[in-house]
Amino acid sequence: MSADERRIYRVYVVVLDDALLLDIAGPAEVLRCANGYGSEVGFDVRYVGPRERVRSSTGLVIGEIAPLPDVLEHDAIVILAGVRGDFDHERNAEVRATMGWLQRIAPSASRLVCICSGALFAATAGLLRGRSCTTHHSLIADLRRLEPSATVLDNRLYVQDERICTSAGVTSGIDLMLAIVSELAGPVVASKSARNLVVYSRRAAGDPQISPWLESRDHVHPVVHRIQDEIEGDPARSWTLSALADIGGVSARHLSRLFREHVGSNIADYIQGLRVELARRLMANTELDVERVAEATGFGSSRQFRRVWRKFEGTAPRRSHQRLLRRTRQTGMTPLNPGVVTDGT
């Protein structure tokens, strides 16, 4: 697919004076990497704010900041970076102007992504009413005070409530952005981006389940990464241990031992986990029946698919299909092309 045919998401990063530099750079680097790996989806990042130049939390001056846009594209993403110091939405006229802009424009964004104290700005603007959300651990009490109707969750890296996404701040903004890239551009793109950054998604108690493309990559063994790259490129393929061992240049027994040591599971379970994740994406974004989902994701039969799905999910795939489609409609996400989901790109 040519660059002109990619689906491009416009991303507006709101930059204020004293902005926490890592809250901006972390998510932006994830999107930069994703642009290098994704053939179907891309991200056009714009930095906007009430001033053309600001001084960041580290003292680095950020310039050429565009004005806050008057309108948003229908699938635009807005990122609110946190700021240094105590939260005060009345600190100056520029912050007050940004709050007014948020109240007017943010409801039209396809996603509002709040990093660290960005959640407090969103709460003050009335955008977290009745939502589940989180923020930096030192600001949890402030968030509860600002929006009493919100369900504020502590000890969480990030929370996604339909189109509203909040994170604990600093490096957890990277975790959240990887999750969003996984949804929009696919788990393989997110996995490659995470590996390029040498950052892998973490999970705190109660956090949403992390895609197997990400959770099993928190190691640095080159042979295991090479094997994972091959499997992730075509999870539906009928892989054999001997073929994978040849790719890795090791014996089958040694590869099995390396996988258990660095991934924490055997190769068969790893492949099944990827196929279940592919099936989950198909069921969330298409009307394919269980039999066609099983065929598209490499299971030998719908019976085998049902058995493996119950092993991983604890429920019948048909019931999961209905729940996943319902959630997709609630978030307003555009259904994906099944070919995009199953070809590993």
Side-chain angles (χ1 to χ4, degrees):
M1 176 175 288
S2 69
D4 292 338
E5 296 174 309
R6 300 170 88 191
R7 176 173 182 176
I8 303 297
Y9 288 90
R10 184 69 57 79
V11 181
Y12 293 100
V13 182
V14 180
V15 183
L16 297 172
D17 200 39
D18 270 338
L20 293 171
L21 191 57
L22 194 53
D23 284 4
I24 299 170
E29 281 294 325
V30 172
L31 297 177
R32 180 188 66 80
C33 289
N35 281 337
Y37 294 119
S39 61
E40 305 286 344
V41 171
F43 301 93
D44 179 12
V45 180
R46 308 286 178 92
Y47 300 94
V48 299
R51 287 173 53 188
E52 186 180 1
R53 288 166 61 88
V54 300
R55 187 175 296 277
S56 72
S57 59
T58 65
L60 180 70
V61 174
I62 305 173
E64 298 186 11
I65 300 170
L68 295 167
D70 293 328
V71 295
L72 297 181
E73 295 78 4
H74 77 280
D75 54 0
I77 299 169
V78 173
I79 299 178
L80 293 178
V83 298
R84 182 180 61 173
D86 295 334
F87 174 76
D88 178 11
H89 69 280
E90 295 285 349
R91 63 169 64 187
N92 57 48
E94 292 164 354
V95 172
R96 291 194 296 273
T98 303
M99 298 298 298
W101 176 82
L102 275 174
Q103 291 172 325
R104 178 175 60 84
I105 207 80
S108 63
S110 68
R111 276 177 176 77
L112 177 64
V113 181
C114 307
I115 313 297
C116 197
S117 62
L120 277 63
F121 285 105
T124 304
L127 301 172
L128 299 185
R129 232 172 255 130
R131 297 285 189 175
S132 294
C133 54
T134 194
T135 188
H136 190 273
H137 62 83
S138 67
L139 301 172
I140 290 291
D142 291 329
L143 186 54
R144 286 176 175 147
R145 173 178 54 80
L146 287 168
E147 186 48 86
S149 72
T151 301
V152 180
L153 305 171
D154 52 14
N155 194 32
R156 296 286 292 272
L157 292 173
Y158 60 86
V159 174
Q160 293 178 275
D161 186 341
E162 297 183 0
R163 67 181 191 86
I164 305 294
C165 309
T166 52
S167 84
V170 199
T171 59
S172 66
I174 296 174
D175 296 281
L176 174 55
M177 194 52 59
L178 285 169
I180 293 172
V181 166
S182 183
E183 290 179 13
L184 299 180
V188 173
V189 174
S191 174
K192 290 180 178 179
S193 301
R195 186 179 176 191
N196 183 278
L197 294 169
V198 200
V199 175
Y200 297 93
S201 284
R202 303 157 291 170
R203 191 177 180 210
D207 274 337
Q209 182 176 354
I210 293 172
S211 163
W213 269 269
L214 296 175
E215 67 179 350
S216 60
R217 289 290 197 150
D218 55 346
H219 64 85
V220 293
H221 199 287
V223 171
V224 178
H225 275 307
R226 192 183 315 149
I227 298 303
Q228 289 176 296
D229 289 343
E230 290 292 328
I231 296 172
E232 289 176 4
D234 188 6
R237 179 177 170 181
S238 182
W239 292 103
T240 65
L241 181 59
S242 60
L244 292 171
D246 288 342
I247 292 170
V250 296
S251 69
R253 178 178 296 182
H254 186 50
L255 178 59
S256 296
R257 185 165 58 250
L258 287 175
F259 228 79
R260 285 193 299 269
E261 178 182 351
H262 295 281
V263 178
S265 70
N266 61 49
I267 294 177
D269 284 346
Y270 176 73
I271 294 173
Q272 285 186 344
L274 294 182
R275 290 175 177 173
V276 166
E277 178 66 14
L278 281 178
R280 182 183 294 108
R281 289 173 58 79
L282 276 175
M283 291 194 294
N285 295 285
T286 74
E287 299 285 351
L288 293 179
D289 58 28
V290 170
E291 287 70 23
R292 292 181 66 192
V293 170
E295 179 183 0
T297 52
F299 290 96
S301 65
S302 59
R303 180 178 180 181
Q304 183 197 25
F305 171 55
R306 289 186 176 93
R307 177 176 57 80
V308 174
W309 183 270
R310 281 186 176 275
K311 172 184 172 182
F312 280 83
E313 300 294 321
T315 187
R318 195 175 304 278
R319 179 176 298 178
S320 298
H321 193 182
Q322 295 169 350
R323 175 177 53 81
L324 290 166
L325 276 177
R326 191 162 53 245
R327 182 183 300 170
T328 297
R329 295 188 183 104
Q330 288 172 347
T331 60
M333 290 175 61
T334 303
L336 300 174
N337 182 330
V340 173
V341 178
T342 57
D343 66 7
T345 62

